Amino acid sequence: MAVSLVTKYVKDFVAPHELEGIAPQVKAAHDTLHTKSGLGNDFLGWVDLPNSYDKEEFSRIKTAAKWIQQNADVLIVIGIGGSYLGARAAIELLRSPFYNNLKKDTPDIYFCGNNISPTYLNEILSICQGKDVAVNIISKSGTTTEPALAFRVFRELLEERYGKEGAKERIFATTDKARGTLKELSDREGYQTFVIPDDVGGRFSVLTAVGLLPIAVSGADIDKIMAGASDATRAYNDCDLSRNDCYLYAALRNILFRKGKKMEILVTYDPSFTLMGEWFKQLFGESEGKDNKGLYPSSVTFSTDLHSLGQFIQEGSRIMFETVVNIKRPKQDFFIKNDEQNFDGLNFLSNQNMSVVNEKAMKGTVLAHTEGGVPNLMLDVDEIDEYTFGWLVYFFEKACAISAYLLGVNPFNQPGVESYKKNMFALLGKPGYEDMKAALEEKLR
Amino acid sequence: MAVSLVTKYVKDFVAPHELEGIAPQVKAAHDTLHTKSGLGNDFLGWVDLPNSYDKEEFSRIKTAAKWIQQNADVLIVIGIGGSYLGARAAIELLRSPFYNNLKKDTPDIYFCGNNISPTYLNEILSICQGKDVAVNIISKSGTTTEPALAFRVFRELLEERYGKEGAKERIFATTDKARGTLKELSDREGYQTFVIPDDVGGRFSVLTAVGLLPIAVSGADIDKIMAGASDATRAYNDCDLSRNDCYLYAALRNILFRKGKKMEILVTYDPSFTLMGEWFKQLFGESEGKDNKGLYPSSVTFSTDLHSLGQFIQEGSRIMFETVVNIKRPKQDFFIKNDEQNFDGLNFLSNQNMSVVNEKAMKGTVLAHTEGGVPNLMLDVDEIDEYTFGWLVYFFEKACAISAYLLGVNPFNQPGVESYKKNMFALLGKPGYEDMKAALEEKLR
């Protein structure tokens, strides 16, 4: 298995009979998911996606990626939430957090339309000066404020620079298959389009065109990603906890929640995994954080953050558990030479690979934190490659769905996201929201 | 005032008499700090630092920064924890998160030695190929594992590339004023050195040479930073809560903690403030997270994370409050033009600056989250510039010290950071740790 769950560091916190106790609920959650009988059952397209995905479109994604690689110095990916985090996390993991700074034969990739900061937008525009640009706009409706605002700007830029005909070749729209303003515009203007399936929510969409087009442009092999995810669909289809690490993880995090833990901290020792932590936070936070329930998802990158949040985790309020992603082989290693002077006293580390030091830091920390009263789950991951990424995505997606059903919430909606939007629209004078405006402004006075 | 606290969105959660109730404790914390009679009183050098700093060294910092600007394409800053986060946060805030990608007349700046990832180190080395490099190694002792390992590598690189004489000009060591292996090596080799004062802990050190040298290299005006911090020392010296927003903030967060809130989320609407969130997390997490106490510090960047953790904050477990940093004027604005076609229906936003939209998103969100049961504190910040950065740093440092004294913990130690280090050293076979090794390995079996 590309990913396996290590439970020995949680043994002092969870007794075997607790797993026995929750097993029938796991079975119920499995049945709810697979018979499509539960809350949110309109959004189960991700479950079999790694096998049933549209092969013709997949091939068009690869062709489009190649075209972009050959014709653009910079790809601007416009999207927010699930239309942003998955692709960015994959590119940082599979290529590098320094992707845009390293020498390479693929385009730079910048993400835009995921905030309302004018400084951010201006800076991206200035980076585009004198470079050939392509745009991937990702939006189901085409009317979400952040990406739509950014797309207005980049569409104008491309049309000015390349003319209407030139621009249409350089704009790739990932959107609804039939409806919505972005789909209409794309058909009218002749942009190539890719589909956000109706039954796959944003945070579950990284293995659709939403994630795959930018990832393919970065040079990562998307065939291998789908192969890893597909193998994971088969690996995690058994509702017996002793044979399904994905369900075991979902069960353990719910047991810890029911014991009073308030948050889960996803831990990595590889900086290239940092954005995967952000992806994880969206996946679990948005799926479980409702009805005043849920584990708050947090993330840290060690050893960096051992010199930051490490103190709190070791000795602060005892409200958390950790899930450590243990990547067994880094993408590159570094041999530590002996230093004859040994002025820093570090020769006890020399004549071995740096990955060994990182591994011992990880193991030492797991023992220190569990000793300090923080349960530690560990996910052993063979290495960082496309296959493992695909597997890991599916592991977390399915664990999240099962976990949310165990919690008793709808894993697939996000009603709370509308609250700020409504207020924002009212304050900005959007037609249809006039009634709310005066009351809100009164509260702000 | 460059920074002011808005308390109206917390009125439904904290009654006026609660502030009256905590006021004597705030006065006691103030007295403890200013009479230097409390826990950790060896580490109070930061309190008057913005006035009493070493002016001769400050001038050397500016000269060194100029030399680096003229002689290096890349500055590698080697440090971890407080010797890393402050400078990086300042450069992202005052210059840009895209600093290394934007055209500029100052060197690229990369941070190294803040983790044990071999991939990360290899990538930084590959970025340095064919470029003129200078190094700022920041370490009190010179033996902290992460920076010491990285410094071995970069020292060798510089000596190979520039010879011993050339290398010594390019290495700048920020370290103890008299002792430690890095100070010894620097004196022997002839590196220019800057001082980490004995009475200023890492997380309170951004206004010493630790932060100031890299910040000055980035082109930011460090005189203005000190001016802002200095004015803040005078602004926050009154122990009357009604006249001291810094203490009021410390009081309110302790009141909310005592009511059962488990975490504080620092909120920004400007991506360039994101790393300030990391700096904040170290400052508060390491200062307060001990003796099984403390608010867990978290941070989000909106509106990006409104499409991620936003759902949880709106409707999940009611365990948090938010502190919103409201930057009133962005560094650059962007005028939203009208679009005749209006295909996206966004014309209700047009003919105004994008900063207005961001502000309404912020206000709409504050109302939505407080409505959802999340107390909101707000820090109004005039604009992003050096003066305000200095002020804000001092605001948070002093609030943190007062807050930790209110909590009853030592704000200035970090005993828990040793736990993982000891285990790591034992597992790596460091001389002196032999006794622990076998027992730890047994636990890992």
Side-chain angles (χ1 to χ4, degrees):
Chain A
M1 293 248 183
V3 171
S4 62
L5 186 70
V6 178
T7 58
K8 71 177 153 194
Y9 306 109
V10 83
K11 290 245 185 300
D12 289 346
F13 305 94
V14 177
H17 70 259
E18 294 183 79
L19 282 170
E20 221 180 295
I22 206 169
Q25 292 161 49
V26 174
K27 168 138 189 12
H30 169 87
D31 291 343
T32 303
L33 185 70
H34 283 279
T35 60
K36 307 195 178 204
S37 58
L39 293 169
N41 58 5
D42 284 348
F43 289 94
L44 296 175
W46 60 273
V47 177
D48 195 49
L49 182 75
N51 305 309
S52 64
Y53 66 92
D54 180 341
K55 311 298 184 294
E56 179 276 329
E57 182 187 54
F58 192 82
S59 157
R60 278 202 301 120
I61 290 172
K62 291 195 279 187
T63 307
K66 197 161 285 175
W67 190 92
I68 294 168
Q69 288 171 341
Q70 287 163 352
N71 294 280
D73 305 312
V74 181
L75 172 67
I76 302 294
V77 181
I78 300 176
I80 194 166
S83 301
Y84 153 63
L85 276 173
R88 184 167 166 204
I91 293 167
E92 295 207 359
L93 182 70
L94 298 172
R95 300 301 310 269
S96 167
F98 298 114
Y99 176 78
N100 286 338
N101 304 98
L102 288 164
K103 287 210 184 79
K104 60 194 175 294
D105 51 11
T106 49
D108 284 348
I109 300 176
Y110 287 92
F111 293 87
C112 206
N114 57 66
N115 58 57
I116 319 176
S117 161
T119 313
Y120 184 98
L121 179 58
N122 280 313
E123 289 181 343
I124 301 282
L125 286 168
S126 106
I127 286 169
C128 290
Q129 276 170 19
K131 291 181 184 147
D132 272 321
V133 177
V135 167
N136 180 203
I137 164 79
I138 308 172
S139 177
K140 184 90 175 150
S141 64
T143 60
T144 303
T145 311
E146 292 88 343
L149 266 179
F151 183 53
R152 275 193 174 195
V153 175
F154 279 95
R155 186 181 160 213
E156 188 184 13
L157 180 146
L158 292 188
E159 291 186 352
E160 275 174 12
R161 200 180 284 181
Y162 303 101
K164 250 189 166 323
E165 281 305 301
K168 82 175 195 197
E169 280 192 321
R170 295 181 168 271
I171 295 175
F172 299 82
T174 307
T175 187
D176 192 88
K177 69 175 186 301
R179 283 167 309 182
T181 59
L182 180 56
K183 176 64 178 163
E184 282 167 37
L185 180 80
S186 301
D187 289 348
R188 198 172 70 228
E189 302 284 324
Y191 307 151
Q192 187 170 172
T193 59
F194 301 95
V195 173
I196 306 178
D198 286 333
D199 54 358
V200 179
R203 59 188 175 273
F204 288 83
S205 71
V206 61
L207 302 180
T208 70
V210 169
L212 294 175
L213 178 57
I215 294 170
V217 172
S218 81
D221 183 334
I222 62 174
D223 282 295
K224 289 188 184 154
I225 291 176
M226 297 312 279
S230 173
D231 284 353
T233 63
R234 282 178 290 280
Y236 301 131
N237 215 9
D238 185 334
C239 65
D240 182 336
L241 282 179
S242 70
R243 290 193 299 262
N244 189 330
D245 280 354
C246 173
Y247 288 12
L248 184 57
Y249 168 61
L252 285 167
R253 62 196 302 286
N254 273 273
I255 289 170
L256 291 166
F257 179 69
R258 293 172 190 185
K259 273 181 199 245
K261 294 300 176 194
K262 304 295 182 195
M263 64 168 79
E264 174 177 17
I265 305 179
L266 192 77
V267 178
T268 180
Y269 284 75
D270 191 319
S272 71
F273 200 85
T274 301
L275 256 284
M276 285 294 288
E278 294 299 313
W279 175 81
F280 165 88
K281 280 152 71 173
Q282 190 204 9
L283 181 64
F284 280 84
E286 225 169 45
S287 299
E288 295 200 317
K290 51 197 69 159
D291 305 328
N292 298 357
K293 282 179 267 188
L295 281 162
Y296 183 83
S298 187
S299 64
V300 291
T301 301
F302 289 163
S303 65
T304 306
D305 292 330
L306 284 170
H307 296 250
S308 165
L309 289 173
Q311 165 66 33
F312 196 110
I313 298 170
Q314 187 68 49
E315 299 189 336
S317 302
R318 305 292 71 192
I319 54 177
M320 74 278 282
F321 68 93
E322 291 175 285
T323 298
V324 180
V325 178
N326 172 28
I327 297 162
K328 291 190 188 169
R329 263 189 310 281
K331 273 182 290 180
Q332 303 175 50
D333 217 324
F334 190 92
F335 187 74
I336 304 171
K337 289 190 287 196
N338 206 53
D339 178 14
E340 291 203 357
Q341 301 175 328
N342 194 29
F343 87 94
D344 51 17
L346 286 192
N347 271 357
F348 73 96
L349 299 178
S350 52
N351 294 319
Q352 66 186 341
N353 280 329
M354 198 166 169
S355 62
V356 178
V357 182
N358 208 18
E359 186 210 343
K360 301 292 185 195
M362 186 269 291
K363 289 188 170 163
T365 304
V366 167
L367 293 180
H369 287 182
T370 48
E371 186 81 20
V374 179
N376 266 238
L377 297 167
M378 191 186 293
L379 273 180
D380 276 351
V381 176
D382 285 346
E383 61 193 323
I384 299 180
D385 63 5
E386 287 90 340
Y387 180 86
T388 312
F389 168 77
W391 185 296
L392 210 47
V393 162
Y394 195 81
F395 175 92
F396 280 120
E397 286 180 353
K398 196 161 194 195
C400 181
I402 295 295
S403 187
Y405 278 143
L406 284 171
L407 184 65
V409 301
N410 181 341
F412 307 114
N413 68 355
Q414 52 285 329
V417 178
E418 296 310 307
S419 310
Y420 98 89
K421 285 190 193 171
K422 270 188 232 161
N423 285 357
M424 174 177 79
F425 290 148
L427 291 172
L428 285 164
K430 185 172 180 173
Y433 291 82
E434 293 82 355
D435 289 356
M436 294 170 63
K437 194 173 187 214
L440 291 174
E441 284 176 345
E442 183 58 35
K443 284 189 195 170
L444 292 168
R445 219 174 298 273
Chain B
M1 294 252 181
V3 172
S4 62
L5 185 70
V6 178
T7 58
K8 70 179 156 194
Y9 306 110
V10 82
K11 289 245 186 302
D12 289 348
F13 305 93
V14 177
H17 70 259
E18 294 183 79
L19 282 170
E20 221 179 297
I22 205 169
Q25 293 161 48
V26 173
K27 172 144 187 2
H30 170 86
D31 291 343
T32 303
L33 185 70
H34 283 278
T35 60
K36 307 195 177 202
S37 58
L39 294 169
N41 56 6
D42 284 348
F43 289 93
L44 296 175
W46 60 272
V47 177
D48 195 46
L49 182 76
N51 305 310
S52 64
Y53 65 93
D54 181 340
K55 310 296 184 298
E56 181 276 329
E57 182 187 54
F58 193 82
S59 159
R60 280 201 301 120
I61 291 171
K62 290 195 278 188
T63 307
K66 199 160 283 172
W67 190 92
I68 294 167
Q69 288 171 342
Q70 287 164 352
N71 294 281
D73 305 313
V74 181
L75 172 67
I76 302 294
V77 180
I78 300 177
I80 194 166
S83 300
Y84 153 64
L85 276 173
R88 184 167 166 204
I91 293 166
E92 295 206 2
L93 181 70
L94 297 173
R95 300 301 310 270
S96 167
F98 298 114
Y99 176 78
N100 286 338
N101 305 99
L102 288 164
K103 285 209 187 76
K104 60 193 172 298
D105 51 13
T106 49
D108 284 349
I109 299 176
Y110 288 92
F111 293 87
C112 206
N114 58 66
N115 59 56
I116 320 177
S117 160
T119 313
Y120 185 98
L121 179 59
N122 280 313
E123 289 181 343
I124 300 283
L125 286 169
S126 107
I127 286 169
C128 289
Q129 276 169 21
K131 290 181 184 150
D132 273 320
V133 177
V135 167
N136 181 200
I137 163 77
I138 308 172
S139 177
K140 183 88 174 154
S141 64
T143 59
T144 302
T145 311
E146 291 87 343
L149 266 178
F151 183 53
R152 276 192 173 195
V153 175
F154 278 96
R155 189 183 156 209
E156 187 184 12
L157 180 145
L158 291 189
E159 292 186 352
E160 274 175 12
R161 200 181 283 181
Y162 302 102
K164 251 190 166 320
E165 280 304 301
K168 82 175 196 195
E169 282 192 320
R170 295 180 169 272
I171 295 175
F172 299 83
T174 306
T175 186
D176 191 87
K177 69 174 182 304
R179 283 168 309 184
T181 58
L182 180 57
K183 177 62 179 165
E184 281 166 38
L185 180 80
S186 301
D187 288 347
R188 197 171 71 227
E189 302 284 323
Y191 307 152
Q192 186 171 174
T193 60
F194 300 95
V195 173
I196 306 179
D198 285 333
D199 55 357
V200 179
R203 58 188 176 275
F204 287 84
S205 71
V206 61
L207 302 180
T208 71
V210 169
L212 294 175
L213 179 56
I215 294 170
V217 172
S218 82
D221 183 334
I222 62 173
D223 283 295
K224 288 187 184 152
I225 291 176
M226 298 312 278
S230 173
D231 285 353
T233 64
R234 282 178 289 280
Y236 301 131
N237 214 8
D238 184 334
C239 65
D240 183 335
L241 282 177
S242 70
R243 290 193 298 262
N244 189 331
D245 279 355
C246 174
Y247 289 12
L248 184 57
Y249 167 61
L252 285 166
R253 62 197 301 288
N254 273 274
I255 290 170
L256 291 166
F257 178 69
R258 294 171 188 184
K259 271 179 202 247
K261 293 301 176 192
K262 305 294 182 197
M263 66 168 77
E264 174 177 17
I265 304 178
L266 192 76
V267 178
T268 181
Y269 284 75
D270 190 319
S272 71
F273 200 85
T274 301
L275 257 285
M276 285 294 289
E278 295 300 311
W279 175 81
F280 165 89
K281 281 153 70 173
Q282 190 205 8
L283 181 65
F284 280 84
E286 226 170 43
S287 299
E288 295 200 317
K290 52 198 67 160
D291 306 327
N292 297 358
K293 283 179 266 188
L295 281 161
Y296 183 83
S298 186
S299 64
V300 292
T301 301
F302 288 164
S303 65
T304 305
D305 292 329
L306 284 169
H307 295 251
S308 165
L309 290 173
Q311 166 66 34
F312 196 111
I313 298 170
Q314 187 70 49
E315 298 189 337
S317 302
R318 305 292 71 192
I319 55 176
M320 74 278 283
F321 68 92
E322 292 176 286
T323 298
V324 181
V325 178
N326 171 28
I327 296 162
K328 290 188 185 169
R329 265 190 309 282
K331 274 183 290 183
Q332 303 175 50
D333 218 324
F334 190 93
F335 187 75
I336 304 170
K337 290 190 286 194
N338 207 53
D339 177 17
E340 291 203 356
Q341 300 174 330
N342 194 27
F343 87 95
D344 51 19
L346 287 193
N347 271 357
F348 72 97
L349 299 178
S350 52
N351 294 318
Q352 66 186 343
N353 281 330
M354 198 166 168
S355 61
V356 177
V357 181
N358 208 17
E359 186 210 340
K360 302 290 187 197
M362 187 269 293
K363 290 188 169 164
T365 304
V366 166
L367 293 180
H369 288 182
T370 49
E371 186 83 21
V374 179
N376 266 237
L377 296 167
M378 191 187 292
L379 273 180
D380 276 352
V381 176
D382 285 346
E383 60 195 322
I384 298 180
D385 62 6
E386 288 91 339
Y387 180 87
T388 312
F389 168 76
W391 185 297
L392 210 47
V393 162
Y394 196 81
F395 175 93
F396 280 121
E397 286 181 353
K398 195 160 194 195
C400 181
I402 295 295
S403 187
Y405 277 142
L406 285 171
L407 185 64
V409 301
N410 182 341
F412 307 114
N413 67 356
Q414 52 284 331
V417 178
E418 296 310 308
S419 312
Y420 97 88
K421 285 189 191 171
K422 271 188 233 163
N423 286 358
M424 175 177 78
F425 290 148
L427 291 171
L428 285 163
K430 183 172 180 173
Y433 292 82
E434 292 82 356
D435 289 356
M436 295 169 63
K437 193 172 188 214
L440 292 174
E441 284 176 346
E442 184 56 36
K443 284 189 194 169
L444 292 167
R445 220 175 295 275

